[in-house]
Amino acid sequence: MSDTTRPVVEISGLHKSFGSLQVLKGVDLQVRRGQVVCVIGPSGSGKSTLLRCVNLLEEPSSGSVVVNGVELTDPDCDIDAARVRIGMVFQSFNLFAHLSVLENLTVAQRKVLRRSKEQAEEVARRNLARVGLTDKEHSMPAQLSGGQQQRAAIARALSMDPEVMLFDEPTSALDPELVGDVLGVMRQLAEEGMTMLVVTHEMQFAREVADQVVFMDGGGIIEQGDPADVIGAPSHERTRTFLSRVLDPTHHGPSDPTG
């Protein structure tokens, strides 16, 4: 896409219902090239559904999603072709258990991008090095820690040369001591200029790395802006209430796997 001023992700009037349950109620959001946008909010606020609508893992009930200038919500859109440039990292690592780490990183490159075995392995090794897993290419997923599996999943997404990376609570399934390694990789990607839309409950990461923080509640965006404003000095009572709970060190509520 030649128009570098156009947002990489444009979400307009997005609604999503499951039966009678309205999960998204008219969301508008833009992510510009090189931006890191972190989406925060309570469980059930629609965060993960919003992310899944960006690459049409969930089909919006109404509204439009444009990624890299392609309207994914257009009935004539070739979704498979459009998805190739959208990397997705899930809570659960979604690695193929029967394939080695290297094979996990090369299978889609060869089938979708039609790269040769040699090309695909070169790209895979380069991305394993980026995430600090050079010595794990022949390991099976079950031999890796959760943090290593998630870093392998990030490397797999990067191997498809995405224009934008979507992260859906990438640390929520990890033991606390493993979270830092994954966030470190994401910080590095941000520094390299990767466009990222991140659903997270890691407030310190959002505060330090995000260009924009979006607070969602009840299926809509309540507040968005600079992290120093949204996290540091929120203007809405709902944002303040949420942050007082998640930032209170005495609060040990469950992590947010369903948002």
Side-chain angles (χ1 to χ4, degrees):
M1 187 177 67
S2 59
D3 183 3
T4 56
T5 63
R6 183 171 186 171
V8 177
V9 179
E10 298 175 86
I11 299 165
S12 303
L14 194 66
H15 289 78
K16 175 62 181 176
S17 297
F18 296 98
S20 61
L21 177 64
Q22 269 194 301
V23 179
L24 296 176
K25 303 172 184 175
V27 173
D28 298 306
L29 182 63
Q30 296 187 345
V31 183
R32 300 197 172 278
R33 190 166 303 281
Q35 266 194 330
V36 178
V37 175
C38 284
V39 183
I40 64 172
S43 178
S45 59
K47 307 183 305 295
S48 292
T49 301
L50 172 65
L51 209 66
R52 291 171 68 85
C53 283
V54 172
N55 64 356
L56 259 65
L57 287 176
E58 298 289 356
E59 189 167 339
S61 302
S62 64
S64 68
V65 177
V66 178
V67 181
N68 301 321
V70 176
E71 185 182 342
L72 274 66
T73 39
D74 184 330
D76 296 325
C77 176
D78 183 341
I79 296 300
D80 292 334
R83 275 199 192 119
V84 170
R85 308 308 297 276
I86 306 172
M88 180 100 185
V89 178
F90 301 87
Q91 299 171 41
S92 53
F93 323 119
N94 289 20
L95 297 173
F96 296 114
H98 64 291
L99 299 180
S100 71
V101 169
L102 188 67
E103 289 167 335
N104 263 282
L105 267 66
T106 56
V107 62
Q109 290 189 67
R110 296 179 67 185
K111 287 186 174 178
V112 179
L113 300 182
R114 302 282 184 240
R115 286 176 178 156
S116 68
K117 184 173 185 286
E118 292 73 24
Q119 281 179 307
E121 289 184 350
E122 180 184 340
V123 171
R125 290 189 174 107
R126 187 164 67 240
N127 285 302
L128 285 173
R130 290 171 79 180
V131 303
L133 291 177
T134 299
D135 59 337
K136 299 296 185 184
E137 68 174 68
H138 298 302
S139 300
M140 302 301 284
Q143 297 172 301
L144 305 181
S145 71
Q148 289 170 333
Q149 289 187 60
Q150 192 61 295
R151 283 186 281 149
I154 293 172
R156 179 177 62 180
L158 292 172
S159 294
M160 299 299 286
D161 299 329
E163 294 280 344
V164 58
M165 287 281 284
L166 311 177
F167 291 87
D168 186 9
E169 292 280 12
T171 60
S172 67
L174 301 180
D175 292 332
E177 66 268 23
L178 303 176
V179 168
D181 290 340
V182 172
L183 293 181
V185 169
M186 293 171 65
R187 287 175 193 268
Q188 177 187 322
L189 292 178
E191 289 168 6
E192 293 171 4
M194 175 61 73
T195 307
M196 296 160 60
L197 182 57
V198 184
V199 170
T200 186
H201 61 273
E202 301 288 346
M203 293 302 137
Q204 193 62 28
F205 174 84
R207 193 195 298 263
E208 294 174 3
V209 180
D211 298 292
Q212 289 268 305
V213 171
V214 173
F215 172 69
M216 288 187 67
D217 196 11
I221 293 176
I222 304 301
E223 188 166 359
Q224 70 182 97
D226 188 276
D229 295 328
V230 177
I231 298 177
S235 59
H236 288 262
E237 182 59 36
R238 284 155 85 182
T239 318
R240 286 195 289 271
T241 301
F242 169 76
L243 289 168
S244 70
R245 289 175 180 155
V246 298
L247 297 175
D248 180 355
T250 63
H251 174 75
H252 295 291
S255 63
D256 185 5
T258 60

